[in-house]
Amino acid sequence: MSRRGVKFGAFVFVCQLVFLLLFAFLAKYDDTAQPKDTDPTNMVAQYYPMFQDVHVMMFIGFGFLMTFLKLYGYSAVGVNMLVAAFVLQVALIVRGFIHSDIAGGERFPINITEMLSSDFAAATVLISFGAVLGKTSPLQLLIMAIIETILAQLNEYTGVHKLHTSDIGESMYVHVFGAYFGLAVARVLYSEETEENSKEGAVYHSDIFAMIGCVFLWLYWPSFNGGATSGDEQHRAVINTYLSLAACTIVTFAISAMLDNKGRFDMVHIQNATLAGGVAVGTTADMPLEPWGAVLMGTVAAIISVVGYKYITPALTRFLKLHDTCGVHNLHGMPGVLAGIAGAVMAALSTRDKWGESLCEIFPARAGMNATIPCDADLAMTRTALEQGGYQMAALCMTLVIAIVGGALTGLLLKLPIWDAPQGDMVFDDHANWEVSDYNFPQVMGDKGRSNGETDSNTRV
Amino acid sequence: MSRRGVKFGAFVFVCQLVFLLLFAFLAKYDDTAQPKDTDPTNMVAQYYPMFQDVHVMMFIGFGFLMTFLKLYGYSAVGVNMLVAAFVLQVALIVRGFIHSDIAGGERFPINITEMLSSDFAAATVLISFGAVLGKTSPLQLLIMAIIETILAQLNEYTGVHKLHTSDIGESMYVHVFGAYFGLAVARVLYSEETEENSKEGAVYHSDIFAMIGCVFLWLYWPSFNGGATSGDEQHRAVINTYLSLAACTIVTFAISAMLDNKGRFDMVHIQNATLAGGVAVGTTADMPLEPWGAVLMGTVAAIISVVGYKYITPALTRFLKLHDTCGVHNLHGMPGVLAGIAGAVMAALSTRDKWGESLCEIFPARAGMNATIPCDADLAMTRTALEQGGYQMAALCMTLVIAIVGGALTGLLLKLPIWDAPQGDMVFDDHANWEVSDYNFPQVMGDKGRSNGETDSNTRV
Amino acid sequence: MSRRGVKFGAFVFVCQLVFLLLFAFLAKYDDTAQPKDTDPTNMVAQYYPMFQDVHVMMFIGFGFLMTFLKLYGYSAVGVNMLVAAFVLQVALIVRGFIHSDIAGGERFPINITEMLSSDFAAATVLISFGAVLGKTSPLQLLIMAIIETILAQLNEYTGVHKLHTSDIGESMYVHVFGAYFGLAVARVLYSEETEENSKEGAVYHSDIFAMIGCVFLWLYWPSFNGGATSGDEQHRAVINTYLSLAACTIVTFAISAMLDNKGRFDMVHIQNATLAGGVAVGTTADMPLEPWGAVLMGTVAAIISVVGYKYITPALTRFLKLHDTCGVHNLHGMPGVLAGIAGAVMAALSTRDKWGESLCEIFPARAGMNATIPCDADLAMTRTALEQGGYQMAALCMTLVIAIVGGALTGLLLKLPIWDAPQGDMVFDDHANWEVSDYNFPQVMGDKGRSNGETDSNTRV
């Protein structure tokens, strides 16, 4: 036993005990999962396949995408699993408190859609993890996970249930929030030492491991953007995401080659910017964006994202002392903002004639407006298209503010010297967290502390 | 050609010919797959997604989980594929003989649920494979697969159809059976030589390959525990498994860090003990265990499993001469026994008021008991809760006895010197079975026979 | 920027702009995805799970299967992603032109089944990619993709809608076409230089990466063969493919061991020939082939495929100057021809009594023939079984001719010196296309140009 191990272990055990008690006294199976229900709506049949796709994105997708660092693969996939499994429980409970009348004696229900929402909540934290990858201890990440999940769920609740906005693929409530929260934490935790660390680079096979994560994220993104809806909205979400990603991918290859001085592709771009199309189309995926609109979103996202990796991330580090290990600003941040703006524009252009019943389903606060056929919604609100667009923009701004302020304050808390943050040589190194097997690549054997950096051709700047 | 190759090839060809003849004379498509059926129940729509998840668990999950050994990756994923594909056919046939009236001239039906059951049958053998990984030839494994599949299917048939027990995630009939059968085989095949073999360890990237298997097993476990049921039972199975695994995962990290002298995580624990929650909740997954109950099962499973890897497995080797390569005792054995006991306890506490119609669906032999509303079951049995609990315990004991005795006898058969078992340097080495490509890691180049073991920091012990 | 990069980038940007315009002026959401549709048929629920399986096959399956080359992993998985994403868009558009009345002012519809068909179209090109892997530039591949997609879609349209043939798993229209088209291209592009390249081999971990692709292809193949159908046809497609693959796998291991001089398995065979059963049963998968018929197809496919890798591929190289990097002739070519012939035989033997209503569903041109119960089909055609068999053979021959002639002409076009084809040392080397990270394997460090080939025990030849 060691002081560090006992501290971490005790923290987790206390958390797990608290979770257990909260589940025991405040949770219940949803009615559709109750044994007395004789004729349940088969929610599993409806939601399970897409839920599992999203589940794979969280654990395989994020986990392996982050294995690109040559000496941080165990932590990428292992600590990713720890953080995600932790958030699944935190999110179920936090959502229970927010969405159910706990104070009124109600128990919060657990079902397959709550499981899906908890996976989305995990995505938020895992995106932030990408910004601080290699520079934080597991304990810091769990502290961050608790605070971030609470704030993100409150933000989402306000956006959806108070501002009545739409964000089917959670590009604002998950991607923008996770990215800017993580960036704020990374800014506060910034250390000059990190910049001199030669371990921040890939080896050949670590980059191929990372492609496992990239491709699974890419493949299942239509389930992420369409998993929480149904009917024609779901069908459009799937089509739009598929088209946006396809366009984004080939354009990423195009710009990556154009910006290189020898016309070659850069693995960093391929692993990340190819996915920006999924983020960028997230808010508008279920809207009648039309196929060309989806393709356009993917194209713009690819350009923003590759340019971000090539020029913006290095500039942020140099001028703002903001070190973003995975470049989440380029994959989740800017494309997420783009998605939010696109959502506002679509909302401002929405009409009952063009959108049909989807208008009321996507924007319940617009029920009855501009309609020849009235919607069935019982809300008495009658927002205009422009008003709805304004609310969408307001939700985006609120998300940015809460994420950045919340992240900065969390960063201050994480700076306390009690969380066993990795120091010096241990940054970007699995030795900080793991009993490590023999390396199977020669250039790091015997020079674990080297800092000459002569071979780091693939560092994330 | 070589004597060894011809022996193996001839064995497989004869088996495949026998399978072909048995399929030709005794099998048929199930009615729902018959071309004359004009309005089939769409079994594919209902079962296929979860079937495919389980299918991935068998071939990717088990296959890659076993790639952790530095020099045995081809065999892990390749021979796993051979054995699984072999068992799929054996199990279809064996199940046909057991469940259909072949003697009465009936043909046994093949459909998607039989395919799912055959995948479960494969799991049984693949668990046993884990205990003897690296120490057996492909031929030995196929012999073992035939015997084990017959015994396991007879055991399951007796437990389900004669003792009328419930084990929805097959924690007893698959996990306990597979683990103790494999351990008995491993005990009989024990050789001092194995203990001195320095190849029983991981390199950095082999451990990351193993995480592919681990994570896919983890993700799709709700499909394993819920794939064979439906309705609210299935919904609960999915929820309980999800919660149990989430709790199990964070507790595994906690104990792993607490037991290490520097507070670090051990990859062996993460790859394996995180999954114990899926096993432990298997028997009770469809029961009204409540969310806190699921979380508790996962927590206990993690503790048992990590303690097992850290202390019990080395003790078994030292004192019982039982070498368990993958530690199946800790992942499948003890958590499976825990699952069986939990199933008995739940059965003993079950009441019609609390369980509703699920009581009859899960325990058909209890139909009519303690009920205000009678079940529709046409069984005339009227077991009490305590009796049902007793039967569950009896099924667990029967499983242990058949597995251990069957495994020991199978081990004796496999000791015959005709099966080309790997010897000396060939233990834990792909050279025994494969034409091997260049290694891409330096520490094994040029010293394939080394036995100093100085770098095996990650051996399974 | 570089000339090469700008050329590639400009080409892709122009293509993406053309795609965008074509989508804008000629495409629309399918009715079931239109927002005004109040009660849509839930096509997503019906098709999405199998669509996603096929999607995984394209990007993970093909992508990782080709990572076996030690220095070409980035290109395998990365350029595979580029080509597939490119074809998804090309195929949607080409299919729109072929299947909709564009000239008459109609817009072509996009829905989940069109997405599935586009993934099939991608498979065609990715198979051809396998034949020229390592020897072509990304630009050459995109040129090839456009031409091949047009020809393959025209061929399929003619086969299905003019010749009224059946090929549910697209063994003729995808596998045979893709293989022989790619082989014709490879023949025309043949260079003596390639044969002396020592980079055409695997290292230990690259072969394990390749197994990720192999196993996912293997697992999801039932979705490939059954994804486009429904009802009992789909159930049979799933069963037949499962059985064929299981038999194919164990027979592949058997022959591989028998043909080796030390009785060992060859990774090349395991990675590829195990999949031949999926191809071989593709045309007949939905027919009443019976379980034994499926097992027989898998057995024959394994024998053909392993013999192909061992003897035919080297002979093609030596005598025909045809270099087939991935051996697509053995995995897709010969098994696809076998599938086509089997389809013709089944058609020639088909009767209404045995096939029931499936006769009309599978062969609409046979409606009304040999039937006691008339089919509902409104086609007035009344082919005999033998005629239908003849048409199936005609479709196979047409496919071979169009693929070979089209591939040869495409090869000539690709020989033009303007496409930046890799030369000399750059063949089979990621340096041609990528900024490459440190290698993590010692034997290629510092000797990137070596050509002694002493360690290439695992070359595909």
Side-chain angles (χ1 to χ4, degrees):
Chain A
M1 291 216 184
S2 72
R3 194 149 157 277
R4 177 191 154 101
V6 171
K7 193 197 295 178
F8 176 82
F11 177 82
V12 172
F13 264 103
V14 169
C15 286
Q16 188 59 57
L17 182 65
V18 172
F19 299 161
L20 190 150
L21 293 172
L22 290 170
F23 282 126
F25 291 107
L26 300 177
K28 63 171 184 179
Y29 294 125
D30 185 64
D31 282 350
T32 57
Q34 290 286 358
K36 292 189 185 175
D37 190 359
T38 53
D39 192 17
T41 316
N42 202 334
M43 289 181 74
V44 174
Q46 186 184 344
Y47 288 103
Y48 194 75
M50 285 195 175
F51 158 75
Q52 271 295 358
D53 294 350
V54 173
H55 214 37
V56 170
M57 292 174 78
M58 296 306 110
F59 287 81
I60 290 286
F62 280 108
F64 277 89
L65 186 60
M66 298 193 285
T67 56
F68 73 93
L69 287 174
K70 65 183 145 206
L71 298 180
Y72 210 64
Y74 287 15
S75 298
V77 67
V79 176
N80 182 81
M81 192 179 180
L82 164 70
V83 172
F86 187 79
V87 176
L88 295 186
Q89 296 183 77
V90 173
L92 282 172
I93 292 165
V94 169
R95 288 179 59 82
F97 273 91
I98 294 176
H99 292 268
S100 296
D101 184 15
I102 300 286
E106 209 181 315
R107 280 171 175 258
F108 65 87
I110 297 181
N111 60 23
I112 179 85
T113 56
E114 280 301 310
M115 287 163 57
L116 179 61
S117 295
S118 298
D119 269 66
F120 284 153
T124 320
V125 178
L126 299 179
I127 290 166
S128 302
F129 181 23
V132 297
L133 184 73
K135 304 171 291 187
T136 38
S137 69
L139 192 52
Q140 285 179 304
L141 293 169
L142 296 187
I143 302 287
M144 182 180 89
I146 295 173
I147 302 171
E148 182 172 3
T149 302
I150 294 171
L151 292 177
Q153 290 301 319
L154 285 172
N155 179 60
E156 184 202 82
Y157 176 78
T158 309
V160 174
H161 294 278
K162 298 298 172 192
L163 301 183
H164 299 286
T165 57
S166 179
D167 187 19
I168 192 66
E170 303 252 32
S171 290
M172 298 190 290
Y173 302 135
V174 166
H175 293 286
V176 169
F177 194 98
Y180 287 95
F181 188 97
L183 290 168
V185 172
R187 175 63 191 83
V188 174
L189 294 184
Y190 183 82
S191 152
E192 296 284 347
E193 247 179 0
T194 308
E195 297 312 314
E196 291 157 14
N197 191 311
S198 69
K199 291 171 182 168
E200 195 193 3
V203 290
Y204 194 64
H205 282 174
S206 71
D207 261 337
I208 297 180
F209 278 118
M211 285 303 287
I212 299 173
C214 165
V215 178
F216 271 110
L217 285 169
W218 195 95
L219 289 166
Y220 287 148
W221 214 293
S223 300
F224 193 95
N225 285 350
T229 184
S230 62
D232 58 283
E233 282 78 17
Q234 186 175 51
H235 202 162
R236 280 198 301 283
V238 165
I239 293 170
N240 288 335
T241 308
Y242 179 88
L243 288 172
S244 178
L245 285 169
C248 182
T249 298
I250 71 172
V251 173
T252 293
F253 276 88
I255 317 180
S256 186
M258 289 175 88
L259 296 185
D260 183 72
N261 59 5
K262 293 184 187 165
R264 302 164 303 177
F265 308 127
D266 185 328
M267 253 295 161
V268 177
H269 305 161
I270 306 313
Q271 283 162 7
N272 293 278
T274 51
L275 303 168
V279 178
V281 84
T283 306
T284 55
D286 59 344
M287 302 179 188
L289 187 62
E290 299 305 325
W292 70 269
V295 161
L296 182 63
M297 293 300 293
T299 303
V300 176
I303 297 171
I304 288 178
S305 190
V306 173
V307 168
Y309 276 103
K310 190 90 181 178
Y311 303 112
I312 301 177
T313 296
L316 290 178
T317 305
R318 208 165 311 127
F319 302 119
L320 294 189
K321 290 175 185 280
L322 173 47
H323 180 276
D324 175 8
T325 312
C326 292
V328 300
H329 187 237
N330 313 304
L331 169 46
H332 304 278
M334 294 187 294
V337 170
L338 174 64
I341 294 170
V345 171
M346 287 297 288
L349 296 173
S350 63
T351 63
R352 185 62 206 268
D353 282 349
K354 165 83 180 154
W355 290 45
E357 206 181 13
S358 290
L359 186 70
C360 323
E361 289 178 19
I362 294 173
F363 301 126
R366 291 207 58 210
M369 287 300 300
N370 304 324
T372 46
I373 313 155
C375 285
D376 299 329
D378 51 5
L379 282 167
M381 287 179 246
T382 53
R383 282 187 194 158
T384 63
L386 216 59
E387 283 169 359
Q388 182 66 41
Y391 277 99
Q392 296 283 138
M393 281 306 297
L396 177 60
C397 295
M398 174 186 73
T399 299
L400 281 164
V401 170
I402 296 179
I404 292 171
V405 175
L409 294 175
T410 305
L412 288 175
L413 176 64
L414 297 183
K415 270 202 117 141
L416 295 180
I418 56 176
W419 309 119
D420 300 319
Q423 305 291 337
D425 260 11
M426 289 294 105
V427 174
F428 305 124
D429 194 327
D430 272 333
H431 285 88
N433 302 324
W434 301 83
E435 200 182 329
V436 177
S437 305
D438 292 356
Y439 289 115
N440 50 330
F441 33 98
Q443 62 270 51
V444 294
M445 294 187 68
D447 65 341
K448 283 167 192 164
R450 86 198 153 85
S451 58
N452 50 12
E454 85 283 12
T455 50
D456 296 325
S457 59
N458 199 28
T459 40
R460 255 62 169 179
V461 187
Chain B
M1 291 216 183
S2 72
R3 195 149 158 277
R4 177 191 153 102
V6 171
K7 193 197 295 179
F8 175 82
F11 177 81
V12 172
F13 264 102
V14 169
C15 286
Q16 189 58 57
L17 183 65
V18 171
F19 298 161
L20 192 149
L21 293 173
L22 290 170
F23 282 126
F25 291 107
L26 300 177
K28 63 171 182 178
Y29 294 125
D30 184 64
D31 281 351
T32 58
Q34 289 286 357
K36 292 190 184 174
D37 188 359
T38 54
D39 191 18
T41 316
N42 202 334
M43 290 182 73
V44 174
Q46 185 183 345
Y47 289 103
Y48 193 75
M50 285 194 174
F51 159 73
Q52 271 294 359
D53 295 349
V54 173
H55 214 36
V56 171
M57 292 173 77
M58 296 306 109
F59 288 81
I60 291 285
F62 281 108
F64 277 89
L65 186 60
M66 297 193 286
T67 56
F68 73 94
L69 287 174
K70 66 183 146 207
L71 298 179
Y72 211 64
Y74 287 16
S75 298
V77 66
V79 175
N80 182 81
M81 192 177 179
L82 164 69
V83 171
F86 187 79
V87 176
L88 295 185
Q89 296 183 78
V90 173
L92 282 172
I93 292 165
V94 168
R95 289 179 57 83
F97 273 92
I98 294 176
H99 293 267
S100 297
D101 183 16
I102 301 286
E106 210 182 314
R107 279 171 175 260
F108 65 87
I110 296 182
N111 60 23
I112 179 84
T113 56
E114 279 302 309
M115 286 163 57
L116 179 62
S117 295
S118 298
D119 269 66
F120 284 153
T124 320
V125 178
L126 299 179
I127 290 166
S128 303
F129 180 22
V132 299
L133 184 73
K135 303 171 290 187
T136 38
S137 69
L139 192 52
Q140 284 179 304
L141 292 168
L142 296 187
I143 303 285
M144 181 180 89
I146 295 174
I147 301 171
E148 181 172 4
T149 302
I150 294 170
L151 292 177
Q153 291 300 319
L154 285 171
N155 178 61
E156 184 201 83
Y157 175 79
T158 309
V160 173
H161 295 278
K162 298 298 172 191
L163 302 183
H164 299 287
T165 57
S166 179
D167 187 20
I168 193 66
E170 304 252 33
S171 290
M172 299 190 288
Y173 303 135
V174 166
H175 293 285
V176 169
F177 194 98
Y180 288 95
F181 188 97
L183 290 168
V185 171
R187 174 63 192 84
V188 174
L189 295 183
Y190 183 82
S191 152
E192 295 284 347
E193 247 179 359
T194 306
E195 297 313 314
E196 291 158 14
N197 191 312
S198 69
K199 291 171 182 168
E200 196 194 1
V203 289
Y204 193 65
H205 282 174
S206 70
D207 261 335
I208 297 181
F209 277 117
M211 285 303 287
I212 300 173
C214 164
V215 177
F216 271 109
L217 285 169
W218 196 94
L219 289 166
Y220 288 147
W221 214 293
S223 300
F224 193 95
N225 285 350
T229 183
S230 62
D232 58 283
E233 282 78 17
Q234 186 175 51
H235 203 164
R236 280 198 300 283
V238 165
I239 293 170
N240 288 334
T241 309
Y242 179 88
L243 288 172
S244 178
L245 285 169
C248 182
T249 297
I250 70 171
V251 174
T252 294
F253 276 88
I255 318 181
S256 186
M258 289 176 88
L259 296 184
D260 183 71
N261 59 4
K262 294 184 187 164
R264 300 164 304 177
F265 310 125
D266 185 329
M267 253 295 162
V268 177
H269 305 161
I270 305 313
Q271 283 162 8
N272 293 279
T274 52
L275 302 169
V279 179
V281 84
T283 306
T284 55
D286 59 344
M287 301 178 188
L289 187 61
E290 299 304 325
W292 70 269
V295 162
L296 182 63
M297 292 301 293
T299 303
V300 175
I303 297 171
I304 289 177
S305 190
V306 173
V307 168
Y309 276 102
K310 190 90 180 178
Y311 303 112
I312 300 176
T313 296
L316 290 178
T317 306
R318 208 164 311 126
F319 302 117
L320 293 189
K321 290 175 185 279
L322 172 48
H323 180 275
D324 175 8
T325 313
C326 292
V328 301
H329 187 237
N330 313 304
L331 168 47
H332 304 278
M334 295 187 294
V337 169
L338 174 65
I341 295 170
V345 171
M346 286 296 289
L349 296 174
S350 64
T351 63
R352 184 62 206 267
D353 282 348
K354 164 83 181 155
W355 290 44
E357 205 181 15
S358 290
L359 185 71
C360 323
E361 290 177 18
I362 294 172
F363 302 126
R366 292 207 56 210
M369 286 299 300
N370 305 324
T372 47
I373 314 154
C375 286
D376 299 330
D378 50 4
L379 282 167
M381 287 179 245
T382 53
R383 283 187 194 158
T384 65
L386 216 58
E387 283 169 358
Q388 182 66 40
Y391 277 99
Q392 296 283 138
M393 282 306 298
L396 177 59
C397 295
M398 172 186 74
T399 300
L400 281 164
V401 169
I402 296 179
I404 292 171
V405 175
L409 294 174
T410 305
L412 288 175
L413 176 64
L414 297 182
K415 269 200 118 141
L416 295 180
I418 56 175
W419 309 118
D420 299 319
Q423 304 291 337
D425 260 10
M426 289 294 106
V427 174
F428 306 124
D429 194 326
D430 272 333
H431 285 88
N433 302 325
W434 301 83
E435 199 181 328
V436 178
S437 304
D438 292 355
Y439 290 115
N440 49 331
F441 32 98
Q443 62 271 51
V444 295
M445 294 187 67
D447 64 341
K448 283 165 192 165
R450 85 198 154 86
S451 57
N452 49 12
E454 85 281 12
T455 50
D456 296 325
S457 59
N458 198 29
T459 41
R460 256 65 169 175
V461 176
Chain C
M1 291 215 183
S2 73
R3 196 150 156 276
R4 177 191 153 101
V6 171
K7 193 196 297 177
F8 175 81
F11 177 81
V12 172
F13 265 102
V14 169
C15 286
Q16 189 59 57
L17 182 65
V18 171
F19 298 162
L20 191 150
L21 294 173
L22 291 170
F23 282 127
F25 291 107
L26 300 177
K28 62 171 184 179
Y29 294 125
D30 185 64
D31 282 350
T32 58
Q34 290 285 356
K36 293 190 182 174
D37 189 358
T38 53
D39 191 19
T41 316
N42 203 334
M43 290 181 74
V44 175
Q46 186 183 346
Y47 289 103
Y48 194 75
M50 285 195 175
F51 158 73
Q52 272 295 358
D53 294 350
V54 173
H55 214 37
V56 171
M57 293 173 77
M58 296 306 110
F59 288 81
I60 290 285
F62 280 108
F64 277 89
L65 185 61
M66 297 192 286
T67 57
F68 72 94
L69 287 174
K70 65 182 145 204
L71 299 179
Y72 210 64
Y74 287 16
S75 299
V77 68
V79 176
N80 182 81
M81 191 178 180
L82 164 70
V83 172
F86 187 80
V87 176
L88 296 186
Q89 296 183 78
V90 173
L92 282 173
I93 293 165
V94 169
R95 288 179 58 83
F97 273 92
I98 294 176
H99 292 267
S100 297
D101 184 15
I102 301 287
E106 210 182 314
R107 280 171 175 259
F108 65 86
I110 297 181
N111 59 24
I112 180 83
T113 56
E114 279 301 311
M115 287 162 57
L116 179 62
S117 295
S118 298
D119 270 65
F120 285 152
T124 320
V125 178
L126 299 179
I127 290 165
S128 302
F129 181 22
V132 298
L133 184 73
K135 303 171 291 188
T136 38
S137 69
L139 192 52
Q140 284 179 306
L141 292 168
L142 297 187
I143 303 287
M144 181 181 90
I146 296 173
I147 302 171
E148 182 172 4
T149 302
I150 294 171
L151 292 178
Q153 291 300 319
L154 285 171
N155 179 61
E156 185 202 81
Y157 175 79
T158 309
V160 174
H161 295 276
K162 298 297 172 191
L163 301 183
H164 299 287
T165 56
S166 179
D167 187 19
I168 193 65
E170 303 252 32
S171 290
M172 297 190 290
Y173 303 135
V174 166
H175 293 285
V176 169
F177 194 98
Y180 288 95
F181 188 97
L183 290 168
V185 172
R187 175 62 191 84
V188 174
L189 295 183
Y190 183 81
S191 153
E192 296 284 346
E193 249 177 0
T194 307
E195 297 313 313
E196 291 157 14
N197 191 311
S198 69
K199 292 172 182 168
E200 196 193 3
V203 290
Y204 194 64
H205 281 174
S206 70
D207 261 335
I208 297 181
F209 278 116
M211 285 303 286
I212 300 173
C214 164
V215 177
F216 271 109
L217 284 169
W218 196 95
L219 289 166
Y220 288 147
W221 214 293
S223 301
F224 193 96
N225 284 351
T229 184
S230 61
D232 58 283
E233 282 79 16
Q234 186 175 51
H235 203 163
R236 281 198 300 284
V238 165
I239 294 169
N240 288 335
T241 308
Y242 179 89
L243 288 172
S244 178
L245 285 169
C248 182
T249 299
I250 71 172
V251 174
T252 294
F253 276 88
I255 317 179
S256 186
M258 289 176 88
L259 296 185
D260 183 71
N261 59 5
K262 294 184 187 164
R264 300 164 305 176
F265 309 126
D266 185 328
M267 253 295 160
V268 177
H269 305 159
I270 305 312
Q271 284 162 9
N272 293 280
T274 52
L275 302 168
V279 179
V281 84
T283 306
T284 55
D286 59 344
M287 302 178 188
L289 188 60
E290 299 304 327
W292 70 270
V295 162
L296 181 62
M297 292 301 293
T299 303
V300 175
I303 296 170
I304 289 178
S305 191
V306 174
V307 168
Y309 276 102
K310 190 89 180 179
Y311 304 111
I312 300 176
T313 296
L316 290 178
T317 306
R318 206 165 312 126
F319 302 118
L320 293 189
K321 291 175 185 278
L322 172 48
H323 180 275
D324 175 7
T325 313
C326 292
V328 301
H329 187 237
N330 312 305
L331 167 47
H332 304 278
M334 293 188 295
V337 170
L338 174 64
I341 295 170
V345 170
M346 286 297 288
L349 297 173
S350 64
T351 64
R352 185 62 207 270
D353 283 348
K354 164 83 181 154
W355 290 44
E357 205 181 14
S358 290
L359 185 71
C360 323
E361 290 177 20
I362 295 172
F363 301 126
R366 292 206 57 211
M369 287 300 301
N370 304 325
T372 47
I373 313 154
C375 286
D376 299 330
D378 50 4
L379 283 167
M381 286 179 245
T382 53
R383 283 187 193 159
T384 64
L386 215 59
E387 284 169 357
Q388 183 66 40
Y391 277 98
Q392 295 285 136
M393 281 306 296
L396 177 60
C397 295
M398 173 186 72
T399 299
L400 281 165
V401 170
I402 296 179
I404 291 171
V405 174
L409 295 175
T410 305
L412 287 175
L413 176 63
L414 298 182
K415 270 200 116 142
L416 295 180
I418 55 175
W419 309 119
D420 300 318
Q423 304 291 336
D425 260 10
M426 289 294 105
V427 173
F428 305 125
D429 193 326
D430 272 333
H431 285 88
N433 301 325
W434 302 83
E435 199 181 329
V436 177
S437 305
D438 293 356
Y439 289 115
N440 50 330
F441 32 98
Q443 62 272 49
V444 294
M445 294 187 67
D447 65 340
K448 284 167 191 164
R450 86 199 154 86
S451 58
N452 49 12
E454 85 281 12
T455 51
D456 297 324
S457 58
N458 199 28
T459 41
R460 255 64 170 175
V461 169

